[in-house]
Amino acid sequence: MPVKLPPPGVRWIGGPGGVLKVLDQTELPARVRWRSCRHPRIVFDAIRRLQVRGAPLIGIAAAYGMVLAARGCRTLKQFARAGARLIAARPTAVNLAWAVRRMLALQTLDRRRLLSEALLIHAEDRSACQRIGKHAYFLLKEPVLTHCNAGSLATGGSGTALAGIYEALSRRKKMWVFATETRPLLQGARLTAWELSRAGVDVTLLVDGAAAGLIASGRVRSVVVGADRIAANGDVANKVGTYALALAAKEHGVPFFVAAPLSTFDVATPTGRGIHVEQRDAKEVLTSAGRRTAARGIGAWNPAFDVTPAKFVTAIITEAGVVRAPYGASIQRITGGRSAKAAGRP
Ligand code: MRU
């Protein structure tokens, strides 16, 4: 049965001289609005503001951004500098650096060639999502708890964490999903709840602080999240709050799954301690819907991600199969030891 997915997060319109359209996720679910990007600076800005977000989708947007960048470059050196600027937009999601380096590895300014690589990156992610969904379908037991948004809106396909839910739907099996609100930017409330409910999934929203209690109550049978970067030893960087879910899941014997494409593995980083966690503007915490909620004079600590040690992860679901502990060896096997950060290809 076909599943109703949200509009694609990015679309390339036209040929090598075309334009990148980005679905502005900061406006969802109230408005479906597209931003046109004709310059890599605009792609940078859209990534920085989280108009386009989710590790795999950021990588895809950056690949198209490199097609735009080639227009303004006369040398490969200039092109590499444009790539470095794009990579700086968000430091934790390794898919961004992976995609830019893959474009640079072509060693060309030929936009036709670059566009076909960007389209390939996009298509590969779509098919990775589909394969992740098939593996996840057999592992996830409902009700499922998820965090942030690792769905269609975060990828080029049906998602990572949510791909198994969509796979179930396509087999006419309904799944009940608990989604955390995901403070401070509410990706769970605004995006996950929206995309799942419009597809016909039963979604129950909870505030982040209620998640441990929900897990303790025995009402969820699996937890599944996405990832922004997975170190060589299986430590997982994902949306802040993920670590707390993993701790609670471990304590209460609930399986804790991470779903991610191979482009999210960074085997050049040995452990999670080496992962740079993006710090965001304190304003995101001190305000709500644009209005100040905390008293004046208060500071805020606002990491976008946290790192969950591998020992709390039951399994990592990839397009190439399911990876389990000991993670060092299984990740080495599944990635062929190649670093998403350093290499061009997965
Ligand atoms: O800050 P965001 O919204 O880009 O964070 C997204 C996440 O943390 C996702 O879980 C992760 O990127 C995986 S998306 C398939």
Side-chain angles (χ1 to χ4, degrees):
M1 183 180 100
V3 173
K4 185 179 176 196
L5 294 177
V10 298
R11 286 188 298 175
W12 182 266
I13 310 290
V19 55
L20 176 65
K21 296 269 189 185
V22 161
L23 175 63
D24 182 352
Q25 299 196 27
T26 63
E27 300 260 0
L28 291 174
R31 269 176 297 275
V32 174
R33 225 180 245 170
W34 298 86
R35 184 174 185 191
S36 297
C37 307
R38 292 188 169 82
H39 191 283
R41 209 178 39 240
I42 311 297
V43 180
F44 174 94
D45 185 67
I47 294 174
R48 189 67 159 241
R49 288 172 189 264
L50 271 58
Q51 289 176 323
V52 55
R53 48 147 300 281
L57 191 67
I58 292 171
I60 295 164
Y64 289 124
M66 292 301 284
V67 181
L68 298 173
R71 279 181 204 167
C73 294
R74 270 172 299 145
T75 65
L76 285 173
K77 230 185 191 161
Q78 288 176 338
F79 192 47
R81 275 201 295 270
R85 278 194 295 272
L86 262 181
I87 289 174
R90 293 198 76 189
T92 306
V94 75
N95 306 60
L96 171 55
W98 169 82
V100 167
R101 293 199 168 110
R102 182 161 155 180
M103 299 296 283
L104 291 174
L106 296 179
Q107 295 276 315
T108 182
L109 293 174
D110 176 359
R111 281 187 273 149
R112 193 168 300 278
R113 179 77 193 83
L114 289 165
L115 177 59
S116 73
E117 189 70 3
L119 290 166
L120 185 63
I121 288 174
H122 198 162
E124 283 175 5
D125 189 66
R126 196 175 302 126
S127 107
C129 290
Q130 214 168 36
R131 280 178 283 154
I132 288 171
K134 289 194 193 310
H135 296 301
Y137 170 76
F138 293 103
L139 290 174
L140 297 181
K141 293 202 167 47
E142 64 146 1
V144 174
L145 170 64
T146 191
H147 184 53
C148 194
N149 173 266
S152 176
L153 288 166
T155 65
S158 60
T160 54
L162 301 189
I165 313 287
Y166 288 124
E167 177 66 23
L169 265 192
S170 75
R171 297 171 186 240
R172 296 178 195 280
K173 186 177 178 300
K174 279 233 168 182
M175 286 254 207
W176 179 15
V177 177
F178 284 96
T180 58
E181 208 179 21
T182 318
R183 278 280 296 158
L185 298 176
L186 304 176
Q187 289 93 331
R190 294 186 303 103
L191 308 176
T192 299
W194 181 67
E195 70 162 90
L196 287 179
S197 63
R198 71 196 287 285
V201 176
D202 243 328
V203 195
T204 304
L205 196 62
L206 56 141
V207 298
D208 300 2
L214 176 76
I215 293 170
S217 76
R219 270 182 290 175
V220 295
R221 290 171 69 214
S222 31
V223 179
V224 65
V225 296
D228 282 80
R229 187 183 292 237
I230 301 173
N233 72 339
D235 291 349
V236 174
N238 191 50
K239 180 53 59 191
V240 66
T242 300
Y243 181 27
L245 295 183
L247 286 169
K250 180 81 166 185
E251 175 66 19
H252 297 285
V254 175
F256 179 87
F257 298 110
V258 172
L262 294 179
S263 51
T264 302
F265 286 81
D266 174 13
V267 297
T269 298
T271 73
R273 270 195 300 275
I275 297 177
H276 178 78
V277 171
E278 174 186 355
Q279 289 288 331
R280 294 189 61 85
D281 199 320
K283 251 194 262 159
E284 292 177 352
V285 176
L286 300 171
T287 60
S288 174
R291 289 176 57 189
R292 179 93 189 185
T293 44
R296 302 268 157 206
I298 292 171
W301 181 56
N302 188 20
F305 306 99
D306 58 25
V307 177
T308 299
K311 66 179 177 186
F312 296 110
V313 178
T314 308
I316 305 175
I317 309 165
T318 79
E319 68 271 39
V322 177
V323 175
R324 291 181 192 270
Y327 286 108
S330 51
I331 288 174
Q332 174 82 13
R333 203 176 324 114
I334 209 151
T335 59
R338 276 170 302 179
S339 164
K341 200 162 75 174
R345 293 184 171 275

